[in-house]
Amino acid sequence: MISASLNTPRRVMTDYDTVLTWIIVALLSIGLVMVYSASIATAEAGKFTGYQPTYYLVRHTIFICVGLLAAIVVLQVPTQTWQNLAPYLFLFGVVLLLLVLIPGIGKSVNGSRRWLSLFVINLQPSELMKMFAVLYAADYTVRKGAVKDSLSKAFFPMFGVMALVGTLLLLEPDMGAFVVICAIAMGTLWLGGFNLKIFGGLVIALPVAFAALILSSPYRMQRVIGFMDPWSDPYGKGYQLSHALIAFGRGEWFGVGLGASVEKLFYLPEAHTDFLLAVIAEELGFFGVSAVILLFGWLIVRAFAIGRQAAMEDRLFAALVAQGIAVWIGVQAMINIGVNMGVLPTKGLTLPFLSFGGSGVVVNLMAMAVLLRIDYENRRVARGLPI
């Protein structure tokens, strides 16, 4: 009796991927510390922050807590329920993207209309749309399995949906979210075994449309070209990147020390959001950046492993959702890291789990809860237990 009661907690703990859980905890912890370090000077000098040095720290902590509460709720939802709701959630996301563009409803910041004001917080629908895109793409792939060789029934519907979402995102504008959602759709179709001709059609059509959008906008063209030589205009289009590169250079191997960054002192814009990795590089050096990259790599490997296990249990939707989440987090992290290092054009994408930002942190944690739920169900199915 006593031994049985002692063994119960151990059995419960093995129902979840503890390694994945600790990776998430590690990323959140690093992010919390570095957001505080990167934002303290800005918060102290800002009138709207009340000159409080802990302004961003407190808000980021609240966002993490809200995200954890949301994750607990999501963890209770069976994967089958997500599959049933996937088309409706995607339509809901499209409605939110439309609402953002309506003057008086959508909130404009720095020329971009990406937020909906919910009085207490601002909701960024494009973040929710990433998660909805994962669910919809997985459901679409499963539903179209019997006709995945058909151009009219498999290719055109997905291309039309991506074109609609892309148009709405580019009107905000939010090119970064558009790239991530396209990567999610294409990655899911590839992993779902779609005909190579169908997949090849998307591979060709989407980049062509993407290039046309860049060429049609002088602003986007400057963003794409500017990263190639930021020193040609260090006080203009190359300002952010040049200071990010200075931060990386100052960090060297071990960094200048936690809290000792100079670039975050009003030189590097968005130091606590889009360019948080540059502050990490300056304060923690090569080894600090390497630790962050290794954690993301480990998380992505675990997500693909969970998806593979689901596929082995003949749970195709769950497998594609797990791998879609891996593509989402991997592509977004890669773009943010690439932007900070100057190998990709500047995009308005945060570093998942680390950067300051309410909607992003909450949705990332909800996605991890879905991933943990899939792993939980995999373990239950493997043991012949109901899910």
Side-chain angles (χ1 to χ4, degrees):
M1 186 95 159
I2 295 175
S3 62
S5 63
L6 289 174
N7 289 331
T8 301
R10 188 176 300 171
R11 290 202 303 270
V12 172
M13 288 302 294
T14 57
D15 282 343
Y16 294 95
D17 191 324
T18 53
V19 172
L20 178 61
T21 304
W22 282 112
I23 293 171
I24 298 167
V25 170
L27 288 170
L28 289 173
S29 301
I30 294 171
L32 190 63
V33 172
M34 295 311 303
V35 163
Y36 180 46
S37 177
S39 67
I40 186 169
T42 305
E44 280 185 327
K47 184 177 180 181
F48 75 96
T49 64
Y51 308 105
Q52 296 296 319
T54 58
Y55 176 83
Y56 291 104
L57 172 66
V58 171
R59 289 177 69 85
H60 194 61
T61 303
I62 292 172
F63 293 146
I64 290 175
C65 291
V66 171
L68 290 173
L69 289 174
I72 291 172
V73 174
V74 169
L75 196 59
Q76 313 308 313
V77 181
T79 307
Q80 183 61 50
T81 302
W82 290 116
Q83 185 172 3
N84 296 337
L85 293 176
Y88 306 105
L89 289 173
F90 190 81
L91 286 174
F92 176 63
V94 171
V95 171
L96 291 179
L97 291 178
L98 285 168
L99 289 175
V100 165
L101 300 174
I102 300 175
I105 298 179
K107 184 177 180 181
S108 180
V109 178
N110 296 329
S112 298
R113 192 179 294 275
R114 301 180 185 176
W115 296 269
L116 291 173
S117 179
L118 301 181
F119 302 106
V120 179
I121 61 171
N122 292 323
L123 173 67
Q124 190 171 356
S126 60
E127 293 293 341
L128 273 174
M129 198 62 189
K130 293 170 189 174
M131 181 170 170
F132 296 161
V134 168
L135 298 172
Y136 177 78
D139 177 59
Y140 180 89
T141 304
V142 172
R143 284 189 288 108
K144 298 293 183 179
V147 294
K148 59 186 178 182
D149 294 333
S150 170
L151 192 68
S152 60
K153 294 180 180 179
F155 169 74
F156 288 120
M158 177 56 81
F159 182 77
V161 166
M162 288 299 103
L164 171 63
V165 173
T167 301
L168 294 175
L169 288 170
L170 292 173
L171 288 172
E172 295 185 5
D174 194 346
M175 181 73 78
F178 176 49
V179 172
V180 172
I181 289 174
C182 283
I184 291 169
M186 293 172 66
T188 303
L189 293 180
W190 171 261
L191 292 165
F194 262 52
N195 186 294
L196 284 178
K197 293 181 180 179
I198 303 295
F199 183 78
L202 278 176
V203 169
I204 294 170
L206 290 176
V208 168
F210 184 70
L213 288 167
I214 292 173
L215 293 171
S216 65
S217 170
Y219 164 75
R220 295 192 189 105
M221 195 68 180
Q222 288 299 319
R223 292 284 291 270
V224 170
I225 295 175
F227 87 100
M228 296 180 182
D229 185 13
W231 309 108
S232 64
D233 188 12
Y235 298 105
K237 62 179 182 288
Y239 184 80
Q240 282 181 308
L241 181 53
S242 60
H243 281 281
L245 294 176
I246 290 171
F248 270 87
R250 291 191 75 245
E252 298 185 350
W253 288 100
F254 299 102
V256 297
L258 184 62
S261 168
V262 171
E263 287 301 317
K264 69 184 181 184
L265 303 177
F266 310 105
Y267 294 104
L268 179 62
E270 310 297 338
H272 58 297
T273 55
D274 297 357
F275 284 89
L276 184 68
L277 189 72
V279 179
I280 294 174
E282 186 177 3
E283 296 190 348
L284 304 181
F286 172 81
F287 287 101
V289 173
S290 297
V292 170
I293 293 174
L294 286 172
L295 284 171
F296 275 113
W298 201 356
L299 186 152
I300 292 163
V301 168
R302 289 302 311 143
F304 273 111
I306 290 170
R308 181 174 177 273
Q309 181 62 36
M312 291 173 64
E313 300 292 347
D314 201 25
R315 303 174 62 234
L316 182 57
F317 174 78
L320 291 174
V321 169
Q323 294 171 351
I325 291 172
V327 171
W328 162 20
I329 300 299
V331 169
Q332 182 162 334
M334 181 185 69
I335 292 174
N336 181 274
I337 293 167
V339 166
N340 276 256
M341 292 182 174
V343 296
L344 290 173
T346 303
K347 300 289 180 189
L349 283 176
T350 55
L351 191 59
F353 306 106
L354 278 80
S355 295
F356 176 83
S359 299
V361 171
V362 173
V363 175
N364 289 159
L365 287 172
M366 290 170 63
M368 290 301 102
V370 172
L371 191 58
L372 285 169
R373 175 73 194 196
I374 293 170
D375 178 69
Y376 166 78
E377 292 180 0
N378 286 346
R379 295 168 189 248
R380 301 277 293 181
V381 170
R383 284 161 30 202
L385 299 174
I387 56 176

